[in-house]
Amino acid sequence: MLKLLLHSRELHLRSVLGPTLGSDFRLIVESDPERVKELAFLGACDVLILDTHGFSFSQLLDTFESVRGASISVVAMADDENRSVAEGLVKQGVYDWFRRPPVMSEFKAVVLRAHENTTLKNQVKSAPNQTPGGAECDSMVGSGPRATGVYNLIRRVAGLDAFILITGESGTGKELIARAIHNLSPRKKAPFVTVSCGAIPETLIEAELFGYEKGAFTGAFGKRTGYLEQAGEGTLFLDEIGELSLHTQVKLLRVLQEREFSRLGSGEMVPLRARIVFATHRNLAGMVEEGTFRQDLYYRVNVMNIKSPPLRDRSDDIPALARHFVSKYAEAYGAGNGKTISPAAMALLVDHSWPGNIRELENVMQRALIVSDGDEICPEHLPETFQMSEVIAISGGCAAGSFEDQLQAFKLSLALKAVRECNGNKTLAAQSLNISRTYLHKLIREPGEVELEAA
């Protein structure tokens, strides 16, 4: 649960905003700056929100300066009149700001992103105390509970030489986990070698892993150093080990047991100096029962198991991941770093099931960046399947009747969906749709209101 502290003179905002945030957030509203400072240093909040309404710039800056040492995230909330105040606070070190009154999707996205940023900074500061010259999981994005659990496991195993098995669906970032383990280990300055076992033909896998001497087989015109030897004192990442044949599994098992191997065509034993991290998207335990994966090898590689969660189980990380990819490809394409994602587009991204996981999200954001001309990525820049799925989800399919009847039914469904998401608060629902409260009332008073709301 993310603990939010709102510094505001309007204490009633707790009852207005609190119910709409959901169970993943807890909100405290405090007007006294000294009490804000006390709560920050007591660890009572993860993110401090500075409401610019009713405070001067200097007052807010003083409050911000007083909590700098508390290792919390700080963001600002401002209406159009106080936008310059919020922007001034950002220049002084406040992470970001969002509009007042807040749109829930934007509110949550900003505070989550701010918390993620502070969490990563704190991790970087603490890393040298965990491993000599340690580096953090700098290529990994996300601060939700599932991601945090993975980070904690990475830190626990990074300094160990035990074999590690990373499991998870394709596209969930298993290689990033392996790289983070390597970067946090004493082996970080040595090579990190990646081998995709499923991409190498069975007839070549042994030669690629172990290396060979000149003349070892037809076509071996010179000596070759294999991946086991190339990794040196570093880390060898064997991805998709479930694709190895039983014959190759036997050879690999012997290497793990004896900690040595020989190149093809040579009787000289070469010591295994590298640490090996394994990964698979397959159910190895099930393969053991089927007889397609050796049980002794399974127990050897599965000393420590890290499960890489699918993206659908960590939807709270989608906003941060989406922005990360936009920033990454904006720089690569020379599009500048000011591109944002609209709340409507972000809602579509969060609601998507992501069968292709993080890899699919990266491709979607790369495409959106290419097709968008302005400063904002909108729903029309996402693949058509995203937009159609949202229409179906909201409207429950095509309404019968004339075009006007279908349009009115669609508007009504949008309005009722917004009211449900805001836990019945129609003022916030109207704000989230960018319409007046009066117009919202007009929409939901149409015939069918009771039946639809009760559904």
Side-chain angles (χ1 to χ4, degrees):
M1 178 182 292
L2 200 62
K3 297 172 289 186
L4 309 179
L5 173 59
L6 174 59
H7 180 36
S8 175
R9 296 195 187 281
E10 299 182 19
L11 301 183
H12 70 280
L13 288 178
R14 185 180 187 282
S15 59
V16 173
L17 296 175
T20 67
L21 289 171
S23 59
D24 292 332
F25 299 83
R26 182 165 66 86
L27 179 67
I28 302 172
V29 181
E30 180 57 58
S31 60
D32 182 4
E34 288 300 318
R35 180 59 177 161
V36 167
K37 178 180 177 181
E38 180 182 356
L39 290 172
F41 280 95
L42 285 174
C45 70
D46 300 308
V47 181
L48 170 61
I49 304 166
L50 301 175
D51 185 3
T52 60
H53 184 72
F55 294 102
S56 67
F57 174 80
S58 61
Q59 289 174 321
L60 293 170
L61 184 59
D62 287 344
T63 301
F64 171 58
E65 293 291 349
S66 72
V67 301
R68 272 191 187 269
S71 297
I72 62 170
S73 310
V74 183
V75 298
M77 178 173 70
D79 54 23
D80 291 338
E81 183 177 333
N82 292 311
R83 177 171 181 166
S84 60
V85 174
E87 290 174 342
L89 290 170
V90 171
K91 290 179 180 178
Q92 295 299 318
V94 169
Y95 180 76
D96 202 352
W97 72 281
F98 56 90
R99 292 169 292 176
R100 184 187 197 276
V103 176
M104 277 299 105
S105 57
E106 182 184 16
F107 182 5
K108 292 180 180 180
V110 170
V111 298
L112 285 169
R113 194 166 72 249
H115 179 57
E116 171 195 314
N117 180 266
T118 300
T119 300
L120 290 177
K121 285 184 178 179
N122 292 337
Q123 290 169 352
V124 170
K125 290 178 182 177
S126 62
N129 295 325
Q130 298 167 8
T131 56
E136 266 302 336
C137 311
D138 53 356
S139 297
M140 304 181 70
V141 178
S143 60
R146 298 297 297 274
T148 300
V150 172
Y151 299 157
N152 290 337
L153 275 176
I154 289 172
R155 293 188 188 89
R156 290 179 61 184
V157 304
L160 307 175
D161 271 335
F163 296 126
I164 298 170
L165 176 63
I166 305 171
T167 57
E169 298 174 10
S170 296
T172 55
K174 295 188 288 294
E175 183 175 343
L176 286 179
I177 293 175
R179 286 186 181 275
I181 292 170
H182 173 75
N183 290 336
L184 278 172
S185 75
R187 300 173 179 269
K188 58 175 291 186
K189 294 183 179 180
F192 178 87
V193 178
T194 299
V195 180
S196 179
C197 299
I200 303 175
E202 172 61 25
T203 55
L204 297 178
I205 187 68
E206 287 184 50
E208 293 296 306
L209 287 177
F210 304 119
Y212 52 84
E213 299 288 344
K214 180 179 179 180
F217 51 84
T218 304
F221 299 114
K223 175 182 174 180
R224 185 188 188 282
T225 302
Y227 292 123
L228 288 166
E229 202 168 349
Q230 289 177 29
E233 301 281 353
T235 302
L236 176 64
F237 175 53
L238 292 182
D239 195 11
E240 298 305 345
I241 60 164
E243 306 303 320
L244 294 176
S245 68
L246 288 170
H247 173 75
T248 305
Q249 289 176 32
V250 173
K251 298 291 185 69
L252 179 60
L253 177 62
R254 186 187 180 283
V255 173
L256 302 184
Q257 289 174 335
E258 304 298 329
R259 304 292 299 184
E260 61 181 12
F261 60 94
S262 62
R263 304 185 196 97
L264 300 185
S266 171
E268 180 185 353
M269 302 307 296
V270 180
L272 175 65
R273 297 178 295 147
R275 176 190 198 169
I276 304 182
V277 177
F278 308 89
T280 182
H281 74 283
R282 303 183 68 175
N283 180 0
L284 293 187
M287 293 179 66
V288 168
E289 293 180 0
E290 296 168 358
T292 55
F293 198 86
R294 290 182 62 93
Q295 186 179 58
D296 45 8
L297 179 60
Y298 173 68
Y299 289 132
R300 179 68 65 174
V301 304
N302 194 30
V303 175
M304 173 62 72
N305 180 218
I306 298 179
K307 296 180 180 179
S308 183
L311 190 54
R312 62 181 174 275
D313 289 347
R314 44 179 299 206
S315 59
D316 45 357
D317 289 331
I318 290 176
L321 285 162
R323 290 187 174 88
H324 165 74
F325 291 129
V326 168
S327 177
K328 172 183 175 181
Y329 288 105
E331 181 178 352
Y333 298 151
N337 57 7
K339 184 85 72 172
T340 60
I341 305 172
S342 73
M346 188 64 79
L348 290 177
L349 295 174
V350 172
D351 287 342
H352 188 58
S353 61
W354 298 110
N357 293 297
I358 297 175
R359 187 178 296 130
E360 181 187 0
L361 174 60
E362 181 174 9
N363 291 340
V364 167
M365 299 320 299
Q366 186 178 5
R367 174 191 181 277
L369 188 67
I370 293 172
V371 302
S372 62
D373 294 325
D375 295 331
E376 190 173 55
I377 292 175
C378 299
E380 59 266 26
H381 302 135
L382 301 178
E384 188 175 341
T385 52
F386 281 71
Q387 301 163 48
M388 291 305 298
S389 63
E390 177 70 358
V391 170
I392 293 171
I394 293 174
S395 65
C398 295
S402 67
F403 173 78
E404 291 299 328
D405 289 340
Q406 294 181 50
L407 181 61
Q408 190 61 29
F410 181 63
K411 289 180 178 180
L412 175 60
S413 297
L414 280 173
L416 292 173
K417 181 175 183 284
V419 172
R420 285 195 296 271
E421 288 181 345
C422 293
N423 294 330
N425 189 315
K426 293 174 183 173
T427 299
L428 288 176
Q431 292 170 357
S432 71
L433 293 171
N434 200 24
I435 61 177
S436 68
R437 196 172 189 274
T438 302
Y439 185 53
L440 178 73
H441 272 290
K442 180 178 182 297
L443 285 174
I444 62 179
R445 284 173 180 165
E446 295 292 332
E449 173 192 353
V450 175
E451 291 78 11
L452 283 168
E453 281 198 290

